[in-house]
Amino acid sequence: MEIKIKNVSKYYYSGGKTIKALDNVSLSIPANQIFTLLGPSGCGKTTLLRCIVGLEAPDTGEIEIGGEMVLSTEKDIFVPTENRGLGMVFQTYAIWPHMNVFNNVAYPLQTRKVPRDIIRRKVEKTLRFVQLEGFEDRPATKLSGGQQQRVALARALVAEPKVILFDEPLSNLDAKLREETRKDLRVFLTELQITAIYVTHDRIEALSLSDIVAVMNKGQIIETGRPRDIYLKADHRFVADFIGRTNLIEATVTSQEGSVTTVDCAIGSVACRKKANMKTGDQATLCLRPEFIRLKRGDASEAQNVFNGKIDSLVFIGEAFEGEITIQESQLFIKTEPDSDIEVGDSANFTVDPDHCLLVTR
C-alpha cells in the first residue's frame, strides 16, 4: 500500500525557541517495499514515523495511506491511529509482562471483540509464521530478546495491517542476535509483501534490510535511493559520510575526459568516476571508501591512481586489518585483507579504481 507525504512540518517550542523537528517533508513510499528512514539521533525520523501512524499531529501537510487521506491540516482531516490500519513494533517491544505469548499476540484482536475461534486461528497462524509455534503458553517476558522481538512482530501482524512500522526494534539486542534477527526480519517482510517503514540510526540495518533508504538530517530528507546506490553513488557529502566510513578530501576538477573526471587534491591527481555537469576549476569533495583502497604488490606503473604511503597503524578485527596510511601529508583510513603481511612502518603502494572514487558537491 503506497504512502504519500506532502509538505509535512512539525514544530516544537522550547525556551522561547522554535525547533523544526520536520521541515516541509515530502516523500512517496511505494507499496510492498521495505522503506527505511535512516539518520542520526534527533534528525526527525521517529517524529515522521509517529506522524504517519497518528501519534503526532503535524503543524502542516498531508498524509495519504493507500489513497485515503488520513491527515490534512488544510482540510482539517485527522484519522485516529486505530482507524489507519497500521501495525507498529516499538523499540522496547511493549510486551505485556502479565500475559503469556498467546495473549500478547491476541491483544489487538481481543480489543476489537473478534470471536474467540477466529482469534485462536489467526494467532496460531501468525506464531507459526514468526517461528514461535508451540510457545503460546510461555510467559512472554521469559523469552530471549530475539524471541520477544518476534512476539512484538506477531502482535503487529495478527490484525493483518496495510502497513507495518518499526521504530528501532533491534537496538536492545546484542550484536550477534541483532544480526540473526535482522536476517529473519528481512525474510518475514519479503514474504508478507506488505509495505514496511523502518526507522534506524544503524547504517548496517538500513543497508541489509531495505529496498529503499531515505537519509534524513535536521528534519529533512537529504537523499533517497536503493541501498547500493546510496552507498556507492551518494550525491551529498553528508550522506556519503553517514552511510559508511569514508575518507573526505577537498579537491579541484582539472579535466573531464570520456568516462573520467580528474581532480587535484592533497594526495595528488586522482582519476574519478565521471561527475556530470562539472567543469575545470569546480570544487568538490573526493570520497574514498577504505575497503576500495587496495594494496598493490610489485609493479604498479600501469595502474591508475597509484599512491605511495607509510603505514601508521594497523588493528586486526578478524575479517580485516583496519589502519591508517599517510600519503603526502594526508592520513587516510584503510582496510585490507586479514591475511596481509603488511606491518606498521612499511612503505607501500596503494591503488583506487576510478569507479570507486566518488565526487560529491553538496
Side-chain angles (χ1 to χ4, degrees):
M1 185 161 292
E2 186 179 17
I3 298 174
K4 294 182 180 179
I5 299 163
K6 183 179 179 182
N7 301 330
V8 167
S9 295
K10 177 66 180 176
Y11 308 116
Y12 295 109
Y13 304 95
S14 176
K17 294 182 179 179
T18 301
I19 300 169
K20 289 184 178 180
L22 296 174
D23 187 6
N24 202 38
V25 172
S26 293
L27 192 61
S28 180
I29 299 174
N32 305 333
Q33 300 277 291
I34 304 172
F35 189 99
T36 294
L37 297 170
L38 172 68
S41 297
C43 72
K45 56 189 185 295
T46 294
T47 301
L48 181 56
L49 191 79
R50 289 172 64 84
C51 289
I52 294 169
V53 83
L55 297 174
E56 294 277 0
D59 294 288
T60 66
E62 294 181 348
I63 298 176
E64 257 184 44
I65 300 176
E68 178 189 355
M69 187 74 70
V70 298
L71 170 94
S72 174
T73 54
E74 185 177 336
K75 299 175 183 176
D76 196 26
I77 296 171
F78 184 85
V79 175
T81 299
E82 61 270 21
N83 296 331
R84 295 192 183 189
L86 309 176
M88 188 158 181
V89 179
F90 295 93
Q91 182 176 352
T92 57
Y93 312 143
I95 298 294
W96 298 109
H98 61 289
M99 294 182 183
N100 61 18
V101 169
F102 182 93
N103 286 324
N104 262 281
V105 176
Y107 185 77
L109 301 179
Q110 291 168 345
T111 59
R112 298 175 192 181
K113 309 298 183 184
V114 175
R116 286 186 180 182
D117 59 328
I118 296 177
I119 290 176
R120 178 159 294 279
R121 187 168 66 250
K122 287 193 172 186
V123 170
E124 288 175 352
K125 176 185 174 183
T126 308
L127 287 175
R128 194 179 311 119
F129 178 73
V130 300
Q131 299 173 11
L132 285 178
E133 189 176 12
F135 284 72
E136 290 87 346
D137 297 327
R138 300 272 189 95
T141 52
K142 299 299 183 183
L143 302 179
S144 70
Q147 289 169 333
Q148 288 189 44
Q149 194 273 343
R150 287 194 225 170
V151 171
L153 175 60
R155 186 175 55 199
L157 293 174
V158 75
E160 300 175 356
K162 308 171 191 175
V163 179
I164 187 165
L165 304 99
F166 298 86
D167 188 7
E168 306 205 42
L170 308 185
S171 60
N172 292 326
L173 304 181
D174 63 55
K176 188 173 187 298
L177 187 55
R178 190 161 59 241
E179 182 179 349
E180 292 171 357
T181 308
R182 190 167 61 231
K183 291 176 183 176
D184 289 341
L185 195 56
R186 172 74 191 178
V187 172
F188 294 154
L189 294 176
T190 302
E191 287 182 14
L192 284 169
Q193 285 293 294
I194 64 172
T195 306
I197 305 174
Y198 194 97
V199 162
T200 184
H201 63 272
D202 187 316
R203 67 177 183 88
I204 295 176
E205 274 184 29
L207 293 173
S208 60
L209 265 173
S210 313
D211 295 308
I212 303 173
V213 177
V215 182
M216 292 189 70
N217 192 36
K218 298 180 180 178
Q220 297 181 326
I221 303 291
I222 306 300
E223 196 168 331
T224 302
R226 295 183 304 165
R228 184 180 175 87
D229 292 338
I230 287 285
Y231 188 79
L232 296 175
K233 302 175 183 178
D235 288 326
H236 298 76
R237 178 179 174 137
F238 172 82
V239 175
D241 191 27
F242 188 81
I243 201 71
R245 188 72 180 266
T246 192
N247 298 288
L248 300 173
I249 308 169
E250 299 309 313
T252 303
V253 176
T254 56
S255 69
Q256 286 265 51
E257 296 181 8
S259 61
V260 171
T261 298
T262 303
V263 300
D264 186 52
C265 63
I267 65 172
S269 179
V270 183
C272 307
R273 180 196 305 140
K274 185 174 182 179
K275 186 74 173 181
N277 303 321
M278 295 197 76
K279 61 184 185 301
T280 300
D282 283 351
Q283 301 300 304
T285 300
L286 172 63
C287 301
L288 299 178
R289 300 277 183 207
E291 60 269 30
F292 295 133
I293 301 177
R294 313 282 190 186
L295 177 63
K296 182 68 177 179
R297 302 287 186 185
D299 182 18
S301 59
E302 294 184 4
Q304 286 183 290
N305 297 337
V306 181
F307 309 101
N308 182 264
K310 181 180 178 182
I311 303 298
D312 296 321
S313 67
L314 281 176
V315 177
F316 181 67
I317 60 168
E319 70 269 17
F321 276 104
E322 292 183 346
E324 293 170 316
I325 182 173
T326 297
I327 301 173
Q328 305 285 17
E329 296 182 359
S330 296
Q331 194 172 66
L332 304 184
F333 181 70
I334 61 171
K335 184 179 286 188
T336 191
E337 296 83 0
D339 59 352
S340 173
D341 59 2
I342 195 169
E343 296 181 358
V344 173
D346 284 355
S347 180
N349 287 329
F350 283 81
T351 68
V352 187
D353 190 290
D355 280 345
H356 295 139
C357 296
L358 176 67
L359 293 173
V360 294
T361 56
R362 292 182 280 181

